[in-house]
């Protein structure tokens, strides 16, 4: 019975993420969250690298999810394993096109023009963009 439950859960995760291997599902980060220190004035810690938006601390690529709506994440617990949220402090300040919103779990996440921002767990080094166009609904954010 346990084996059936585990296989069912795994199948559900694989279906949600569109991945075909456990490494593709879980990547190297199993937390579902990426806490990145904000700048001293608590504005979004982002930068541009190789034409895409990245977090300013680790320079990892940021993504948006087409199924999200304005300041609302549709990426739940299973999804967050593969697509960790770009977390914000609870006292984050909006600046230009960046703001933070409160998720259903009570934590805060950075958004650009109201679209929640995420990392991809399988991006392991600076410059990786392996999540771009994943399932046709995950996209890098072009730097302007």
């Amino acid at each position: 019975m346990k084996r059936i439950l585990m296989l069912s859960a795994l199948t559900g995760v694989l279906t949600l993420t569109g991945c075909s291997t456990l490494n593709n599902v879980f990547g190297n980060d199993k937390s579902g969250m990426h806490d990145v220190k904000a700048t001293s004035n608590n504005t979004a810690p982002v930068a541009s690298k190789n034409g895409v938006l990245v977090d300013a601390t680790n320079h990892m690529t940021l993504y948006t999810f087409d199924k999200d709506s304005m300041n609302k994440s549709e990426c739940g617990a299973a999804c967050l394993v593969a697509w960790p949220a770009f977390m914000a402090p609870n006292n984050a300040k909006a600046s230009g096109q960046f703001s933070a919103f409160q998720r259903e779990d009570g934590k805060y996440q950075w958004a650009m023009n109201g679209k929640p921002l995420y990392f991809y767990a399988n991006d392991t080094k600076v410059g990786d963009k392996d999540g771009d166009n994943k399932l046709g609904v995950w996209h890098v954010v072009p730097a302007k």
Side-chain angles (χ1 to χ4, degrees):
M1 184 66 172
K2 281 185 181 180
R3 188 176 204 167
I4 291 171
L5 288 175
M6 288 300 293
L7 288 173
S8 295
L10 177 59
T11 301
V13 170
L14 291 173
T15 301
L16 285 173
T17 62
C19 299
S20 59
T21 68
L22 283 176
N23 188 43
N24 284 342
V25 172
F26 297 113
N28 293 324
D29 183 336
K30 295 172 181 60
S31 70
M33 303 290 171
H34 275 253
D35 289 320
V36 176
K37 302 244 187 285
T39 56
S40 60
N41 59 3
N42 288 326
T43 57
V46 295
S48 170
K49 190 158 190 81
N50 300 324
V52 297
L53 192 68
V54 298
D55 75 279
T57 303
N58 298 314
H59 303 282
M60 297 304 290
T61 304
L62 292 167
Y63 298 87
T64 58
F65 182 39
D66 288 348
K67 296 180 181 182
D68 286 344
S69 52
M70 185 67 97
N71 292 317
K72 174 134 175 51
S73 172
E74 296 299 331
C75 186
C79 171
L80 287 171
V81 172
W83 300 96
F86 183 32
M87 303 307 291
N90 61 358
N91 62 345
K93 294 185 171 94
S95 176
Q97 54 194 329
F98 298 97
S99 61
F101 69 96
Q102 190 169 18
R103 297 175 48 84
E104 287 184 12
D105 60 11
K107 296 178 180 175
Y108 289 83
Q109 182 174 352
W110 286 112
M112 179 178 161
N113 298 323
K115 289 291 282 186
L117 296 171
Y118 304 87
F119 297 96
Y120 182 48
N122 283 339
D123 285 351
T124 58
K125 63 185 182 310
V126 173
D128 282 355
K129 297 183 253 182
D130 296 333
D132 193 25
N133 207 30
K134 191 84 163 173
L135 301 175
V137 295
W138 292 95
H139 309 284
V140 297
V141 181
K144 295 182 180 174

